[in-house]
Amino acid sequence: MKKIALFIIATILVNGIVSAQNTNTKSNSKKFKVEKTAAEWKKLLTPKQYYILREAGTEKPFSSELNKNYKAGIYACAACKTPLYNSENKFDSGTGWPSFDRAIKSNVALDVDYKIGYARTELKCGTCGGHLGHSFDDGPKETTGKRHCINGAALLFIPKNE
């Protein structure tokens, strides 16, 4: 009898977890202003950009030249050119990826991903849905306390004078 009760409880828990994950991943099907087919994105983006922006990949740490870029300007989505981050909100997190303590309001969408076995806040371009990176709560305490850990290949830097 105890084995049957444990089996029933385990089944309910597993179904509940799968159900919750499926509910949270439904936001991945959100409609964005810019939508293209995979073939169209592949023509527009480099293979690295496609892997990161469209397949939610991650570049190697310290591989992006934007990691140590501290020039004044705007960081935009490499796919659709939507302004995402102001340079004054960039900081050196020491992680090897460009890091920001906040995004330009309404231009970055939040989602939840379970790709590594637990919930993380995924950051996406609010216009095209391209995967940018993840948000963590270990950013500068004197500002927002947030760290938007962004793949450099997902970004296009536009200097202030342009």
Side-chain angles (χ1 to χ4, degrees), residues 116-132:
I116 62 172
Y118 60 89
R120 294 187 298 169
T121 302
E122 181 180 11
L123 302 168
K124 295 181 175 187
C125 173
T127 302
C128 71
H131 170 79
L132 304 171

Side-chain angles (χ1 to χ4, degrees), residues 50-70:
Y50 184 85
Y51 168 68
I52 291 166
L53 287 159
R54 308 317 310 170
E55 296 179 336
T58 301
E59 67 191 4
K60 291 179 182 173
F62 304 101
S63 65
S64 172
E65 63 188 39
L66 294 179
N67 185 43
K68 295 291 185 181
N69 177 38
Y70 294 104

